[in-house]
Amino acid sequence: MESQIHSIHQQLVNKEISCVDLIKEKLELLKPNTHNTVNSLLDETALKLASKVDEKIASGETIGLLEGIPFGIKDVYMVEGTYTTASSDLLKHYKSAYTATAIQKLLDAGAIPLVKENCDSFGHGSSSENTIFGAVKNAKNPELVGGGSSGGSAVNVAKDYTVFSIGGDTGGSVRQPAGYNDVYGLKPTYGRISRYGLMAYASSTDCVGPIAKSIEDIRIVLNTMSGKDVKDQTTYTSSEIEQNSILSSDNITSVGYFKNFIESEAIDENIKKEFLSAIEKIKAKGIAVKALDFFKSDTLVSTYYTLAMAETASNLSRLDGTNYGNRIDADNLKESYSVTRSENFSEETKRRIVGGNQVLSQGFSDEIYLKGLALRDQISQNFENDFNEVDIIISPVTPMAPPKIGDSLKDPLAMYLSDAYTVGFSLGQLPTLTVPQGTETGLQLTAAKDNDELVLKFANFLKDTI
């Protein structure tokens, strides 16, 4: 699909449509909430902003490329004055006091927020079922999960309820639901976009990521949100990716894939067959393809969840109902903390907090947590070595097709293993893009750190190859 942002922009400029009518149309699509993607609508704000865009156009003023473009926001981002619930009981009445940097940059560019989108509570899940707002339904088949944790964001884009949405990716939470719903989803290089105002899950791998139906729209939104932020010391200054620069892939001569991903007993035979077919089509275009050795997928999953659970236990320790949240009073302060957290956290969130506290506890931290940190360093080094040999790494997004709603809740381990092909790139803090081609759940393209442009280039190449 060609850029919806460019198309809508031109229609607005030519006065073929009004911004108010566009926003009303999208809100009408969102209101029935047929796929459980909506936590709250920002209709009043959206219509006010749309009126201002129409006024500018009517007076002959020039509007920016993103002005008037409707978008969605995963409900883990602060947007001043809006409910920011993280799809949890604990924060179901919480209103943001400020706006996340990445979202503010989009607002400054004139994009219009429509909806706070459903997700796994605090980002804890891979199916968007761990939510107080009801399981997100897949855009293609409502009996299947929408993927997680940014399921609502991916489904809204796939159903054309939003032009683009902003998800959050910690271990695959943008890429996996993008694959489940046949859209593009990018996890940029860690630090390229500020995390300020994003509720922290695992601070060392959390990334702000755009979801859209075209590579060009991903590029536009990525450029808008990128940049150094004094409120997030992990951010850095990055170069803008030009439109023309991603149209040619002549400098990509070699592609690698991890053979143990494909040889794994966990991979669905159909996904394996489709992936190998895609590899053959890439070879036919004269690109060298190399099979690479890598850590086993169960090692990646255990390393990721060891570190992620430790970080989430630490990050969520502040949520006890004292300063904000749905406080439940008891006989004493300690009991109040206990009841508030027990009653308001989902089973999955409690599972991750307990696991994280275990990992960090005396007698276990040296044996488990520090070992996880050492393995993460080895994984990063392995990636550095790989990118000395190949330009791009290509992999399936998931080993299996989307499960039916309810199945993941019965088997948390299976849910964790669905992240087997995404978490490694999170640990390496690498730019990774899901493209809706190649297999039933798409393909994942990865480049070296701060080489986000390269994954967009290769994605454009694949459009005409697969």
Side-chain angles (χ1 to χ4, degrees), residues 13-85:
V13 170
N14 294 343
K15 300 180 182 178
E16 296 169 21
I17 58 171
S18 79
C19 192
V20 167
D21 286 345
L22 171 66
I23 296 304
K24 282 181 178 178
E25 178 189 324
K26 296 296 185 185
L27 288 171
E28 286 304 312
L29 292 171
L30 286 162
K31 279 177 185 175
N33 199 17
T34 53
H35 286 68
N36 289 339
T37 59
V38 178
N39 286 3
S40 58
L41 285 177
L42 310 179
D43 44 359
E44 190 175 327
T45 299
L47 288 168
K48 282 181 182 177
L49 292 172
S51 293
K52 291 179 181 178
V53 174
D54 283 338
E55 287 169 12
K56 283 184 73 172
I57 294 168
S59 65
E61 292 182 60
T62 301
I63 62 168
L65 186 56
L66 279 175
E67 272 190 86
I69 305 298
F71 74 105
I73 305 167
K74 183 179 179 179
D75 201 7
V76 291
Y77 288 96
M78 302 296 172
V79 180
E80 186 177 356
T82 70
Y83 286 105
T84 304
T85 71

Side-chain angles (χ1 to χ4, degrees), residues 241-379:
I241 299 172
E242 300 293 337
Q243 183 178 12
N244 290 338
S245 70
I246 65 169
L247 299 180
S248 170
S249 58
D250 292 345
N251 59 336
I252 299 175
T253 60
S254 56
V255 169
Y257 71 94
F258 296 126
K259 58 186 178 185
N260 59 306
F261 280 10
I262 307 308
E263 294 168 358
S264 168
E265 293 179 3
I267 191 170
D268 177 86
E269 280 300 318
N270 192 48
I271 290 178
K272 178 178 179 177
K273 180 181 176 182
E274 290 174 336
F275 178 80
L276 292 174
S277 173
I279 289 292
E280 291 304 314
K281 290 174 183 175
I282 291 168
K283 283 182 182 177
K285 290 288 186 176
I287 290 178
V289 176
K290 181 171 185 176
L292 303 168
D293 291 314
F294 197 51
F295 291 82
K296 291 183 178 178
S297 54
D298 56 353
T299 302
L300 296 174
V301 171
S302 58
T303 302
Y304 168 76
Y305 276 104
T306 293
L307 300 178
M309 286 184 179
E311 290 185 36
T312 204
S314 177
N315 282 327
L316 293 188
S317 62
R318 74 195 78 174
L319 295 180
D320 54 24
T322 301
N323 294 313
Y324 35 70
N326 184 33
R327 181 184 178 90
I328 300 175
D329 290 317
D331 293 338
N332 56 62
L333 187 61
K334 186 176 180 181
E335 184 66 20
S336 180
Y337 288 162
S338 176
V339 174
T340 294
R341 288 166 68 82
S342 295
E343 294 297 319
N344 285 306
F345 282 140
S346 70
E347 290 304 308
E348 183 58 35
T349 294
K350 285 187 278 191
R351 187 179 293 119
R352 296 187 188 206
I353 290 172
V354 169
N357 285 331
Q358 174 81 357
V359 163
L360 293 171
S361 63
Q362 189 173 3
F364 288 94
S365 60
D366 287 357
E367 188 171 331
I368 303 175
Y369 181 66
L370 294 183
K371 186 177 179 181
L373 290 176
L375 272 169
R376 182 173 68 185
D377 290 342
Q378 290 178 43
I379 289 165

Side-chain angles (χ1 to χ4, degrees), residues 188-199:
T189 301
Y190 179 82
R192 186 183 183 100
I193 302 174
S194 172
R195 292 176 292 113
Y196 179 74
L198 164 64
M199 287 188 195

